[in-house]
Amino acid sequence: MTVLARGGGLRLVLPVVLGTLLNAVNSSMIAVALVDIQHEFHAGAEVVWLVSGLYLATAVAQPTMGRLADRFGARRVFCWGLVIVMFAAVGAPFAPGLGWLVAARVLLGIGTSAAYPSGVSLIRQGISGEATNALGAISAAGQVAVALGPPLGGVLVLLAGWRSIFWVNLPIAALSLVLVLLWVPRDRAPRSTSVGLDPWGILLFAAAMVGLLVFLLEFRWVYLAAAAVLGIVLLWWELRVSHPFIDVRMLRANRPLSRTYARVAVTYVVFYTIFYGVPQWLEQGRLLSSAEAGLVVLPIAGMGIVATVVATRRPRWPLLVIGSAGLLVGSLALLLVGASTPVLLLVIVSAVLGIPNGFNSLGNQTAMYAAAPSSQIGTASGLYRTSQYIGANLAAALVGLGLGDHATDSGLHLLAVVISVISAGLLAAALLRRKS
């Protein structure tokens, strides 16, 4: 680790950034390929499971991969995750049916889930002191992937068909794998596999998360009831086992970390409500084409990248206060737009909505990084991502309730009121945290 500490930080951060790109790229590119896949397999609405399947797999697999990284070594888990990605990317284009393709997407979600928690663990081991620049690079790269995923996927589908969105994983994963093997020191010898892994905790957590997320996707109360029961059993088990998968006692004692997870989930409810809801309104309420709507919302990701760079260079700024205030201003700005709003003004509103993303992303990651115990940084990083995906699915449900089958000005304004209230609460909490 001394090589990294003496100036090899870039050699560590670059392969980690490449690995973490894969999850965001696969989450966003699929949107432009769904219609072609639907026609290929003569499918109906069930094609949505290509999106939901990856989200479900990612929400469950992130902390699981983090736990494995804590137990068996971050470099080892990072590399095996990339191997899984490449295996899924090779197999998916040859899927004989939609079910097999969904299974490949789930496997892809599991593989891409290894990069972030094990990558943050590698950063903790290889970079002494603050890691703001490294976390900022991960945050900025993720927003670049979200911004470029749909247009990149559109070009690939146009030139080479829907199968190409899976092939694109191969060069990224292979380059990341080669760089890790060349530049990152080997892990220490793993501990005994019979101590501390808590397989029952992992299974109970996975089952509870699947129940909760399926409920948020389909609003069937039986899934919520099942998730609640499984959550209670998980809590009971984790309090009695000696080496729990989710250290409930630690979370209860480590309030800064617990607050960070809650804040991440709530922040992403607002972000993904904007990310999902605004494009839908632009197409159905403002009557723009899908391409025009994509261009209008592009500043959301673009300004997020700029804000991340600015925040990284000013790490002492009150990042969460700025980010929460920006969310509130952007949410209130949505109350001023309607079907007759000029496109230029809509682009300006999108830019305003993008500014807080960089500050919130870096601020929350930095808070998690500082609060997480070193011995559990992988698991803690995975739970951070799980909190993000819970927020994403809550947002999808909120957008469905607010906009319904056809987005209107009144539906958009209703969502704007809701997320303004949430943003005001986030701002109040951030200000109180600064004073305490």
Side-chain angles (χ1 to χ4, degrees), residues 399-415:
V399 169
L401 291 173
L403 299 184
D405 295 330
H406 186 83
T408 62
D409 289 356
S410 60
L412 178 68
H413 294 160
L414 175 61
L415 288 181

Side-chain angles (χ1 to χ4, degrees), residues 268-288 293-294 296-297 300 334 337 346 350 353 391-392 394-416 419:
Y268 277 99
V269 168
V270 178
F271 171 76
Y272 280 109
T273 296
I274 295 168
F275 192 75
Y276 296 146
V278 171
Q280 183 177 339
W281 173 79
L282 287 171
E283 292 185 49
Q284 298 177 345
R286 186 58 177 75
L287 301 180
L288 300 181
V296 169
V297 299
I300 294 178
L334 288 177
V337 304
L346 293 175
S350 291
L353 289 168
L394 284 170
L398 180 60
V399 169
L401 291 173
L403 299 184
D405 295 330
H406 186 83
T408 62
D409 289 356
S410 60
L412 178 68
H413 294 160
L414 175 61
L415 288 181
I419 62 177

Side-chain angles (χ1 to χ4, degrees), residues 270 274 322-335 352-353 356 360 416-417 419-428:
V270 178
I274 295 168
I322 296 173
S324 300
L327 277 183
L328 178 58
V329 172
S331 300
L332 291 172
L334 288 177
L335 292 170
V352 172
L353 289 168
N360 283 322
V417 170
I419 62 177
S420 294
V421 172
I422 296 173
S423 299
L426 285 169
L427 178 57

Side-chain angles (χ1 to χ4, degrees), residues 282-332:
L282 287 171
E283 292 185 49
Q284 298 177 345
R286 186 58 177 75
L287 301 180
L288 300 181
S289 68
S290 58
E292 290 170 335
L295 290 174
V296 169
V297 299
L298 188 59
I300 294 178
M303 290 305 298
I305 297 167
V306 173
T308 300
V309 174
V310 172
T312 302
R313 293 180 177 179
R314 298 289 187 274
R316 298 298 180 184
W317 282 6
L319 300 179
L320 294 174
V321 173
I322 296 173
S324 300
L327 277 183
L328 178 58
V329 172
S331 300
L332 291 172

